[in-house]
Amino acid sequence: MKREYKILITCFVITIITSILTSFLTTKFYLAKTDGEYIEMCKNNQKPDEHGCCPGETYTDMKDEGFNCCPNDGGDCFPPINKN
């Protein structure tokens, strides 16, 4: 019986540590802060500019389609990243 308690306690501790580490790593590396900053990030964890475009993109007026971010080297344009 004593051995079973040790196994249960070990499993419980491992579960707690795993959940704390997962939460920390997710917050640190995958989500930007939500206190007025951008939720989504550009490649290499870079922040979008004031218009919501990533480095290497230009904020472009596409008339009927509104303002979009267009890659400087060509390609499809897409809506800017929104702030929180």
Side-chain angles (χ1 to χ4, degrees):
M1 193 73 164
K2 196 174 190 183
R3 180 176 176 212
E4 291 153 350
Y5 284 125
K6 286 180 182 180
I7 292 172
L8 283 173
I9 291 172
T10 302
C11 290
F12 182 73
V13 170
I14 289 172
T15 302
I16 298 272
I17 292 172
T18 302
S19 64
I20 290 171
L21 283 174
T22 301
S23 175
F24 172 76
L25 293 174
T26 301
T27 305
K28 178 82 173 162
F29 295 108
Y30 295 107
L31 301 174
K33 294 179 182 176
T34 58
D35 54 350
E37 293 187 19
Y38 289 96
I39 295 173
E40 297 179 54
M41 301 293 282
C42 302
K43 292 180 183 175
N44 298 326
N45 229 10
Q46 296 176 326
K47 291 184 181 180
D49 64 14
E50 65 274 3
H51 301 293
C53 296
C54 294
E57 299 170 353
T58 303
Y59 191 61
T60 307
D61 184 2
M62 299 183 71
K63 307 297 179 213
D64 293 338
E65 297 172 18
F67 285 90
N68 289 297
C69 297
C70 299
N72 295 339
D73 57 356
D76 294 332
C77 299
F78 46 88
I81 296 173
N82 294 325
K83 277 192 175 183
N84 176 9

